[in-house]
Amino acid sequence: MTELLEAPPAPAEEVRAPRSWRAFGGLVPFALYLLVFLGGPLYFVISGALSDPDGQPTLENLVATVTQPQYLAAFWSSLKISLVTALIGAVFGAFLAQAVLTSRPTSPLRRVVSTASGVLAYFGGVPLAFAFIAALGQTGLATIALRGAGIDLYAAGFRIDSLTGLGLTYVYFQIPLMVILITPALEGLQPQWREAAENLGASAWAYWRHVALPVLAPALAGATLVLFGNAFAAYATALALTSGTIPLVPTAIASALSGNVLANQQNVGLALGFDMVIVIGVVMVAYLALQRRASRWAPR
C-alpha cells in the first residue's frame, strides 16, 4: 500500500498523448468533409480547366477566359462591383460599428445592430432580390413613394436590374458583414491609449490619425478584402435580380457550363471557375496575412 502511495506519477507525455490523439480524431470527420465536398470539386475544376474535351492537357481554356470579349467584360464588371461595394461597405460598416461600440453595453441599439448584422449579412439570393424589386422596382413601393414626392428614379436613368442597382443590393449585406468583421478589432482599442493621447494634448482627430487608424489598418484592409471576395463570388442575388443580363464571372460560369460556348470549348466554364478560385485564394491569403499582423494588438 505504501509503495502504491509513493509511486511516481506518470510522465506528462504519457498523460497528454491520449488526449492529443482524441483531439486529432475529432478532426477526422471535418477533414473527410473538406476532402469530399471541397477537395473533390476543386480537383474536378482544375483538371477540367487544364484539359481539352478529349482529356489532353492544354492551356487554351485559360487563354480563352482572358482573350474573349464576353469573359473580359464579365471579369471587369465583377471586379468593379466587388471593389466599389467593398469600399462602401467597409466605410459605412466601420462607422456603424464604432457608433454602436460607443453606446452603453446594455443599450438596445447595440443589441439590435448586433442581431440585425448577424442576420442581414447572410440574407441574400432570391429573397434579397425580390425584396429590392418590391421596393425599388419600376412599380416598387419606394419608387412610387419617391415619384409622389417629385423624384422619379427611372426617369433619371436608374434601373434595379442595372449594375448600379445590383451594387446597391450588394451593399445591403456588405455593411452588416463589415460590422461583424471589424467589431472585434474596434473592441481591441485600449481606453488607456486614448487617455494617454488626451493627456498629451492630442485632439480626437490626432488620436485616430496617429494611434487608432494605424492599429486598425490591417484589420480594416483584411475586412475589406473579405467584402471584395464576398461580392466577387455572389451568384444567386445577381442572377435573380438581373436574369443574367449583366456580365459577371459567376453568371458567365453558369452560362458556359450550360453549353453556351463555342465549339470545342466545353471546359471554358471550368477555366472560369479556376480563375475565380485563384482570385479568392489570393484574397484569403492576403486576409490571413493581415489578420496575423492585426493580432499583435489583440488584448491578451
Side-chain angles (χ1 to χ4, degrees), residues 198-209:
E198 291 177 350
N199 291 335
L200 293 173
S203 62
W205 166 244
Y207 162 74
W208 279 101
R209 180 183 178 186

Side-chain angles (χ1 to χ4, degrees), residues 107-194:
S107 66
L109 175 64
R110 179 174 292 200
R111 293 197 298 268
V112 169
V113 172
S114 300
T115 304
S117 297
V119 174
L120 298 180
Y122 304 99
F123 179 66
V126 176
L128 180 60
F130 174 77
F132 267 79
I133 292 173
L136 291 174
Q138 195 161 3
T139 57
L141 295 177
T143 303
I144 294 175
L146 290 173
R147 192 175 293 145
I151 304 173
D152 194 339
L153 296 177
Y154 281 78
F158 173 81
R159 290 182 60 87
I160 191 60
D161 56 352
S162 64
L163 194 63
T164 302
L166 184 60
L168 185 63
T169 308
Y170 280 12
V171 169
Y172 185 83
F173 57 76
Q174 295 280 61
I175 292 178
L177 181 58
M178 183 63 183
V179 172
I180 295 174
L181 293 173
I182 203 61
T183 296
L186 291 172
E187 291 176 338
L189 294 176
Q190 303 299 317
Q192 297 86 344
W193 299 346
R194 184 157 198 164

Side-chain angles (χ1 to χ4, degrees), residues 2-299:
T2 305
E3 294 178 355
L4 291 176
L5 292 175
E6 295 178 353
E13 291 78 4
E14 295 180 11
V15 176
R16 288 196 298 264
R19 192 175 302 170
S20 64
W21 278 105
R22 286 196 299 268
F24 177 76
L27 293 175
V28 172
F30 180 66
L32 291 176
Y33 178 85
L34 289 180
L35 182 63
V36 174
F37 294 100
L38 182 62
L42 185 61
Y43 171 78
F44 174 75
V45 169
I46 295 175
S47 62
L50 300 177
S51 303
D52 60 17
D54 298 327
Q56 299 300 318
T58 182
L59 295 177
E60 292 183 359
N61 299 320
L62 296 177
V63 172
T65 62
V66 296
T67 56
Q68 296 187 11
Q70 66 271 28
Y71 302 134
L72 288 176
F75 270 105
W76 171 244
S77 297
S78 291
L79 291 173
K80 182 166 61 174
I81 193 173
S82 300
L83 181 60
V84 172
T85 59
L87 292 176
I88 294 175
V91 171
F92 284 93
F95 277 111
L96 178 59
Q98 177 61 20
V100 171
L101 289 178
T102 55
S103 62
R104 300 191 313 275
T106 58
S107 66
L109 175 64
R110 179 174 292 200
R111 293 197 298 268
V112 169
V113 172
S114 300
T115 304
S117 297
V119 174
L120 298 180
Y122 304 99
F123 179 66
V126 176
L128 180 60
F130 174 77
F132 267 79
I133 292 173
L136 291 174
Q138 195 161 3
T139 57
L141 295 177
T143 303
I144 294 175
L146 290 173
R147 192 175 293 145
I151 304 173
D152 194 339
L153 296 177
Y154 281 78
F158 173 81
R159 290 182 60 87
I160 191 60
D161 56 352
S162 64
L163 194 63
T164 302
L166 184 60
L168 185 63
T169 308
Y170 280 12
V171 169
Y172 185 83
F173 57 76
Q174 295 280 61
I175 292 178
L177 181 58
M178 183 63 183
V179 172
I180 295 174
L181 293 173
I182 203 61
T183 296
L186 291 172
E187 291 176 338
L189 294 176
Q190 303 299 317
Q192 297 86 344
W193 299 346
R194 184 157 198 164
E195 294 172 1
E198 291 177 350
N199 291 335
L200 293 173
S203 62
W205 166 244
Y207 162 74
W208 279 101
R209 180 183 178 186
H210 298 289
V211 180
L213 286 179
V215 172
L216 291 174
L220 288 170
T224 305
L225 281 175
V226 173
L227 297 185
F228 176 87
N230 187 45
F232 191 84
Y235 168 69
T237 302
L239 186 64
L241 191 67
T242 67
S243 302
T245 56
I246 297 178
L248 297 171
V249 175
T251 56
I253 292 174
S255 177
L257 292 179
S258 63
N260 188 17
V261 293
L262 299 176
N264 297 323
Q265 290 190 358
Q266 293 87 332
N267 290 346
V268 171
L270 298 177
L272 288 169
F274 183 46
D275 293 338
M276 177 173 282
V277 169
I278 293 176
V279 172
I280 299 300
V282 171
V283 168
M284 294 310 300
V285 169
Y287 171 73
L288 292 175
L290 289 168
Q291 282 297 103
R292 184 176 181 180
R293 184 177 180 85
S295 63
R296 296 187 306 175
W297 302 100

